[in-house]
Amino acid sequence: MALSPHVPELGALELLLAVARLGSVGRAAAELGVSQPTASARIKGMERQIGVPLLDRSPRGSRPTEAGRLVVEWARQVVEAAQALDAGIDALRGRRDAKLRVVASLTVAEYLMPGWLLALAEASPGTAVTLRTANSAEVAGHVLAGDADLGFVEGPTTPPGLAGAVVAADRLVVVVAPGHRWARRRTPLTGPELAGTPLVLREPGSGTREVLEMALTPYGGATQPRMELASSTALKAAAMTGAGPVCLSELAVVEELATRRLVEVPLAEELDLRRPLRAVWPAGQRPGGPARELLGLTRQTGRGARTGRTGRTGRSGRTGQGSSEGPGKDSGRGSGRAPERAPGKS
């Protein structure tokens, strides 16, 4: 028997569940990788389709109406059944999809991917993985072109045309050689000071460069860099030889900071250099097979990606597990939990 026209499609039900769980259309939209206007229009369309109001909206957020709570419960059963179907299909396809192509930003590839791939090898020893590295802009291009099943990028937003899940968090730090005058600095470095200092930076297109430039925009943007290098290893070498201050991932300098080969410069509270690390895939597609399995494993092991350091006055600088913004019952920005359905050089 055909379903009535009053039954919403699965994506709309997932959105409703996210709103009910998070208490906000905006947060649910971020979690699912869509804009807030798109999510609001989708909810209103669902209310017209069903014929009853589903949400009570207020400045404090959105909560299900009495009828909405019933629909949420029914929707949960439908989505869980769809997840079971999805998992079953993945199992049927598993033998055929035993190859996985991954492209990752350099920070993710060097400091997080080895642990994730080890976990995947233990869970699915028959999966053959090909890993390539590129900067975040290039990773997005490879995924959009179909050259990779799953990509990993750094930066404040999901690249256009892609959906994603935040799998970990990172923080950029400014480091110098022990002999640099900033190594003895006791007062935090301000935004105008950092913006006006020629730094040793990654190349344009890297997630590291993008996050720094966005943070320095209120202060007139970063001045012309002293030099541009294409890897974290090169940046560290430049810093240790006294080339100047370097800005790079905290993950890349854990050992150098512990052994005092490099010194972290304290930053003012106004300089927020935290950033999410995302898995990405083409919008409108759901990772399946090994890609879905790797995505789930990154979220499980993301809790271990913490350096435990504090590099700014009054703010924890720990890196760690982020949140998701991709498909699934619990995917989106800011949740910090693994998606239940979800299935680079930077």
Side-chain angles (χ1 to χ4, degrees), residues 3 7 18 61 77 126 132 152 169 171 190 200 203 220 262 337:
L3 295 175
V7 177
Q77 297 174 34
R132 290 188 294 169
F152 291 87
R171 181 175 68 98
T190 66
V200 181
E203 79 285 0
L262 290 174
R337 297 166 53 193

Side-chain angles (χ1 to χ4, degrees), residues 136 153-158 207-208 210-211 214 275-278 346:
S136 290
V153 299
E154 309 150 21
T157 59
T158 304
T208 299
E210 179 186 10
V211 170
M214 287 189 64
R275 61 178 179 175
L277 305 177
R278 289 182 174 84
S346 182

Side-chain angles (χ1 to χ4, degrees), residues 102-104 107-118 131 152 294 298:
V102 179
V103 59
T107 298
V108 175
E110 286 189 342
Y111 302 105
L112 296 175
M113 191 60 69
W116 293 342
L117 294 183
L118 177 61
L131 172 64
F152 291 87
L294 176 60
T298 64

Side-chain angles (χ1 to χ4, degrees), residues 3 39 46-47 64 71 75 82 98 124 129 136 161 163 195 219 291 294 309 334 341:
L3 295 175
M46 186 164 37
E47 289 176 324
V71 175
S124 298
V129 180
S136 290
Y219 313 106
L294 176 60
R309 295 183 51 82
R341 183 174 182 195

Side-chain angles (χ1 to χ4, degrees), residues 193-267:
E193 285 180 292
L194 186 60
T197 301
L199 304 173
V200 181
L201 298 177
R202 285 291 308 278
E203 79 285 0
S206 76
T208 299
R209 181 75 171 263
E210 179 186 10
V211 170
L212 177 66
E213 290 181 341
M214 287 189 64
L216 295 182
T217 296
Y219 313 106
T223 192
Q224 182 71 22
R226 184 177 299 276
M227 64 179 71
E228 296 175 341
L229 301 173
S231 72
S232 296
T233 300
L235 289 178
K236 291 189 290 185
M240 286 187 283
T241 57
V246 168
C247 182
L248 76 174
S249 167
E250 183 178 34
L251 293 169
V253 290
V254 172
E255 182 179 347
E256 288 78 9
L257 294 177
T259 57
R260 294 286 296 177
R261 284 179 287 166
L262 290 174
V263 177
E264 181 178 351
V265 181
L267 301 181

Side-chain angles (χ1 to χ4, degrees), residues 10 76-89 292 341:
L10 188 61
R76 182 172 292 110
Q77 297 174 34
V78 171
V79 170
E80 288 174 352
Q83 290 170 345
L85 174 63
D86 197 11
I89 292 173
R292 172 184 173 140
R341 183 174 182 195

